[in-house]
Amino acid sequence: MTELLCIVGARPNFMKIAPLMAAFSTQPIAAKLVHTGQHYDPAMSDSFFAQLGIPRPDVNLEVGSASHAVQTAEIMRAFEPVLDAEQPRAVLVVGDVNSTIACALVAAKKGVKVIHVEAGLRSLDRAMPEEINRVLTDQISDLLYTTERDALNNLQREGIAPERVHFVGNVMIDTLRQHAARATPAARTLGGKPARGYALVTLHRPSNVDNADKLRGLLETLARISERLDVVFPIHPRTRSSAEKFGLTPLLERPFIHLLPPQGYLEMLGLMQEATLVVTDSGGLQEETTALGVPCITVRESTERPITVTDGTNTLTGPDPARIWPVFEDILASGGKRGRIPEYWDGNAALRIAASLRAWLDSGAA
Ligand code: UD1
């Protein structure tokens, strides 16, 4: 009998599900894994399964890329028969991608309990597709596991009963702690480490990369940074195609800008550990840099992960070059914010979730 059907779809889901599947097998909880296929390139998907030891998905829905509406609808359509066949006691979703809301919605409509890992994060920016996914997934979840204490306030404001919410810490940081010692050295990924250090850059938010002026400003800033430090830029497929479409690739063709394809987990972890600083619009990197104590400039106006700013090494600048530059200079001059590790980002979040879920299942709640 399947107790839990666990869902992954896109790159940031994989490092969250890895420690959960491991913890479920020791508890034990009978869990099966469904991959929606939202991300399908070997570099965006398969390499994470291999490096993180995630079990092969029991089912792959193979939905691929499309508009948000079509992608979400296709996941729902493909997931429903799987749910009918498996009859699990609950569906577990992680994070905030389209696969998260799509599968949660199918389960909730069928009266199957929904568990959300990484609940309660809010940027308060409804223009972000992930914010819509977060708010809606939390509304239809029966059990909500949070990564920071303040997430409870967000959930209570939206009318969610506190009894359903459990503060357990950050499963993505479980993965980081487990693999930190075997991260791929930056010198190996780069064919030699730049003597003057480097800024590690990732950009993929639609609000930054789908707008020609914003993307131009950001790429010009990278060019300027590359006069002081090397720039290492693993480029997301969305960003690469935007840069090509807007005729901005010449800005990236500079001697000290190292353009890389999307990297594996261990390569990325090594690049983060050894970076002078990180410039990003990712959610995950804000947390990972805080856990590693590496300064981070987040080129967004808001963050759903405020603890990385209040406690960690993160500074929000938005995409405006005039706001990024002074923070960059300050990091070079002073080393940036020191930060401290947030509560329960200790490598044991998945074990806490597994113990809590075992008790919940045994109580007959699902
Ligand atoms: C998705 C998530 C985002 C997460 C990001 C990490 C949503 C709403 N967004 O955004 O929260 O931070 O993943 O990457 O779910 N593509 C490929 N190969 C792939 C997958 C995608 O080339 O394996 C290209 C396609 O052209 C596709 C585009 O990337 O149209 C965007 O992919 P999509 O899954 O729609 O969203 P992401 O921008 O990756």
Side-chain angles (χ1 to χ4, degrees):
M1 195 220 7
T2 307
E3 291 183 295
L4 279 189
L5 215 45
C6 302
I7 311 299
V8 289
R11 186 169 59 179
N13 293 161
F14 304 135
M15 39 288 223
K16 295 169 193 166
I17 210 71
L20 287 168
M21 295 306 284
F24 294 159
S25 70
T26 56
Q27 191 48 247
I29 292 172
K32 282 194 177 172
L33 187 60
V34 175
H35 191 331
T36 65
Q38 178 175 345
H39 284 175
Y40 44 84
D41 279 353
M44 304 277 284
S45 178
D46 301 358
S47 93
F48 290 81
F49 280 77
Q51 291 189 341
L52 302 178
I54 305 169
R56 253 179 91 86
D58 297 279
V59 181
N60 192 322
L61 307 178
E62 295 183 349
V63 294
S65 301
S67 71
H68 283 264
V70 171
Q71 187 176 62
T72 308
E74 288 298 330
I75 297 168
M76 290 180 70
R77 206 197 328 228
F79 181 54
E80 184 173 39
V82 175
L83 189 60
D84 286 342
E86 292 292 340
Q87 305 263 322
R89 292 177 62 189
V91 168
L92 180 142
V93 295
V94 298
D96 56 16
V97 302
N98 287 343
S99 303
T100 308
I101 178 62
C103 293
L105 196 49
V106 173
K109 293 254 184 176
K110 288 202 167 272
V112 177
K113 302 280 189 210
V114 176
I115 301 156
H116 187 202
V117 174
E118 200 190 84
L121 296 181
R122 296 290 182 271
S123 66
L124 306 180
D125 174 6
R126 294 272 171 113
M128 272 184 95
E130 294 80 6
E131 184 74 353
I132 308 289
N133 294 343
R134 292 180 199 117
V135 170
L136 298 181
T137 302
D138 286 339
Q139 278 297 327
I140 55 175
S141 290
D142 297 279
L143 204 48
L144 299 93
Y145 291 112
T146 61
T147 54
E148 47 186 274
R149 275 193 196 280
D150 286 352
L152 178 61
N153 299 332
N154 294 331
L155 294 169
Q156 283 192 279
R157 214 175 31 241
E158 292 169 12
I160 290 166
E163 308 81 72
R164 282 156 51 195
V165 182
H166 300 271
F167 170 51
V168 290
N170 194 323
V171 288
M172 199 179 61
I173 304 306
D174 292 4
T175 296
L176 182 141
R177 302 261 176 258
Q178 188 189 338
H179 295 281
R182 56 183 204 96
T184 308
R188 195 175 327 147
T189 304
L190 300 174
K193 188 172 166 188
R196 61 182 184 161
Y198 61 88
L200 175 66
V201 178
T202 79
L203 297 172
H204 74 284
R205 291 273 155 235
S207 60
N208 282 332
V209 308
D210 291 1
N211 176 301
D213 287 339
K214 277 196 194 151
L215 186 58
R216 180 180 302 105
L218 286 164
L219 299 188
E220 282 170 355
T221 304
L222 299 188
R224 196 169 164 206
I225 289 176
S226 78
E227 290 162 16
R228 305 276 292 278
L229 281 181
D230 280 35
V231 168
V232 174
F233 187 10
I235 190 162
H236 187 283
R238 172 194 283 278
T239 311
R240 182 180 286 280
S241 66
S242 284
E244 282 164 8
K245 187 170 77 189
F246 301 140
L248 298 174
T249 40
L251 284 171
L252 295 167
E253 288 158 2
R254 298 192 170 234
F256 298 111
I257 297 186
H258 309 266
L259 272 192
L260 306 178
Q263 294 296 296
Y265 183 78
L266 296 175
E267 290 76 12
M268 201 62 192
L269 185 53
L271 288 172
M272 267 190 282
Q273 281 174 337
E274 296 181 51
T276 306
L277 77 156
V278 169
V279 178
T280 192
D281 57 12
S282 146
L285 267 77
Q286 294 174 54
E287 296 186 335
E288 288 165 336
T289 48
T290 277
L292 293 168
V294 172
C296 181
I297 297 177
T298 297
V299 293
R300 287 172 44 191
E301 300 294 353
S302 60
T303 179
E304 63 287 342
R305 293 162 160 92
I307 205 167
T308 62
V309 176
T310 55
D311 293 27
T313 57
N314 191 19
T315 305
L316 287 186
T317 63
D320 179 0
R323 284 167 61 203
I324 299 171
W325 195 254
V327 179
F328 171 72
E329 292 216 298
D330 178 59
I331 291 170
L332 285 199
S334 73
K337 290 162 80 170
R338 293 276 164 273
R340 63 184 175 86
I341 308 293
E343 186 182 5
Y344 276 0
W345 289 24
D346 59 357
N348 295 318
L351 293 176
R352 286 187 202 101
I353 291 173
S356 155
L357 271 181
R358 185 68 268 160
W360 183 75
L361 290 164
D362 291 344
S363 76

